Amino acid sequence: MTARMIMKLQVAQARLTTPDVLHLRLVHPLRPNLPEWSAGAHVDLRLPDGRVRQYSLCGNPDDLSAYEIAVKRETNGRGGSIWAHDHLTEGATAHVSAPRNNLPLVDAKRIVIVAGGIGITPFVSMVRTLMKQGRDFTLHYCARSASEAPLLDELKDICGPSLQCWFSQEGSRFDPAVIGPSDPDTHVYVCGPQRLLDAVQSALADWPEDHVHTEVFQLTLDENFKAEPFEATIASTGQRLHVRADQSLLEVLRNAGFIVASSCELGVCGSCECGYLDGIVIHRDKSLPVSKRQDRMLPCVSRARVAVTLDM
Ligand code: FES
């Protein structure tokens, strides 16, 4: 569990791509190049009060002279996006982490992408990469209207006929049935509002779980979940920690003096990921891939039934 490097970047360009989505171009004031990243990656934006928000990089992975992010003004959010809209004007400083990728592009024969509104951001770099590699893909882009679809002009230029727009106010509504039946050569990527994720996931219920990839920046925790206390044992020392029902494992580890990286504390960013050796873990996040859940967990939201032994 390592802390992520934070860089002081400068806002080189700030423009509204829709009335409520701010597109930012961030550069290093001294260095010509920023750390490398790949399609699907995101960065943390650190707010002045220490809170952190994740934003997908929506520029070109081949252009390391700048990072680009798009921030939707969420008037009913937790305040981070409003701060960004109000303060990240040209010349301002933004505290930004090195990129991390929870949504890598897989090497499948065919890629289908479904994006809703601001959920388009992780896919701009992905379609650039797919075009560059000459691969078969379709991007379904859902929004209320063209004027409310962030980065639409860029996407038209990048994708050509592989872009299919579904604008509900213009009478075309996306139906997940267009994705078709389960196909071993196809992987599907989805990002957008929860109802879009739910609709696509239920339409693809018989697809292999590892062929459907989702990016979630907000976690909807199960309101009916009843947390129970459990014991956590540190494998390297045998130290036993009690996690009360009203505490997270992350909180208990920190109270015991462990330095644990974290960012969202919502089970979304993956930065608190740690290993476990035994125990029944109740995974409550939506970001850890199924393939890692046998021995990795996110202690900010995930818990254990009775006891867990942590690989630390
Ligand atoms: S801190 Fe983000 S997943 Fe745990």
Side-chain angles (χ1 to χ4, degrees):
M1 291 181 284
T2 51
R4 293 166 76 180
M5 175 177 73
I6 296 288
M7 299 171 285
K8 282 188 190 175
L9 302 186
Q10 199 168 44
V11 179
Q13 192 182 57
R15 70 177 177 96
L16 288 173
T17 170
T18 70
D20 61 358
V21 175
L22 179 66
H23 181 208
L24 296 169
R25 186 173 165 85
L26 306 168
V27 298
H28 196 287
L30 301 173
R31 293 189 209 139
N33 284 329
L34 293 166
E36 289 184 3
W37 59 285
S38 56
H42 71 268
V43 290
D44 290 347
L45 175 68
R46 181 151 295 172
L47 308 181
D49 62 4
R51 291 179 299 160
V52 165
R53 297 289 176 269
Q54 281 80 42
Y55 294 101
S56 292
L57 290 172
C58 58
N60 184 346
D62 290 337
D63 174 11
L64 296 179
S65 66
Y67 289 159
E68 292 177 38
I69 59 173
V71 182
K72 181 175 183 197
R73 189 180 188 99
E74 304 278 5
T75 39
N76 295 322
R78 293 174 292 161
S81 67
I82 293 177
W83 178 86
H85 273 247
D86 292 348
H87 293 89
L88 294 182
T89 50
E90 287 177 16
T93 298
H95 292 81
V96 174
S97 73
R100 178 188 183 100
N101 200 338
N102 291 338
L103 193 71
L105 183 55
V106 295
D107 190 17
K109 263 196 189 154
R110 183 168 172 261
I111 299 288
V112 176
I113 299 169
V114 182
I118 192 66
I120 191 66
T121 53
F123 302 129
V124 182
S125 59
M126 216 174 260
V127 293
R128 275 187 198 282
T129 301
L130 288 164
M131 285 300 287
K132 184 178 160 190
Q133 295 174 347
R135 290 170 60 186
D136 179 10
F137 75 95
T138 304
L139 168 59
H140 296 282
Y141 189 8
C142 316
R144 273 204 293 266
S145 64
S147 62
E148 292 168 272
L151 307 168
L152 180 59
D153 290 341
E154 287 90 327
L155 288 162
K156 283 181 180 166
D157 286 347
I158 299 166
C159 299
S162 297
L163 173 66
Q164 294 192 11
C165 293
W166 305 88
F167 298 140
S168 55
Q169 280 182 355
E170 294 165 21
S172 69
R173 227 170 239 289
F174 176 69
D175 179 352
V178 299
I179 298 172
S182 177
D183 168 10
D185 291 330
T186 301
H187 279 236
V188 179
Y189 285 79
V190 197
C191 184
Q194 191 65 42
R195 64 181 180 285
L196 178 68
L197 263 64
D198 291 345
V200 172
Q201 280 175 328
S202 98
L204 305 186
D206 62 346
W207 283 57
E209 212 173 323
D210 61 354
H211 280 217
V212 182
H213 311 265
T214 54
E215 176 82 314
V216 182
F217 286 119
Q218 278 187 336
L219 180 65
T220 313
L221 288 171
D222 175 6
E223 289 169 4
N224 298 320
F225 178 78
K226 190 169 177 315
E228 301 283 352
F230 61 97
E231 302 296 320
T233 302
I234 307 299
S236 60
T237 61
Q239 184 180 1
R240 288 179 63 124
L241 304 170
H242 179 71
V243 185
R244 296 194 316 259
D246 63 348
Q247 290 177 302
S248 70
L249 175 55
L250 177 67
E251 185 184 341
V252 170
L253 287 168
R254 286 222 176 107
N255 290 345
F258 291 90
I259 296 170
V260 185
S262 76
S263 167
C264 68
E265 303 198 3
L266 291 168
V268 168
C269 70
S271 44
C272 66
E273 181 182 321
C274 67
Y276 67 95
L277 301 176
D278 62 37
I280 299 173
V281 168
I282 306 165
H283 294 282
R284 304 191 68 220
D285 65 281
K286 291 194 178 175
S287 71
L288 199 61
V290 175
S291 56
K292 293 174 84 176
R293 291 180 179 236
Q294 292 304 319
D295 56 7
R296 310 288 297 170
M297 68 183 292
L298 299 181
C300 63
V301 292
S302 295
R303 308 182 65 82
R305 211 174 295 290
V306 185
V308 65
T309 303
L310 298 174
D311 188 11
M312 35 190 318

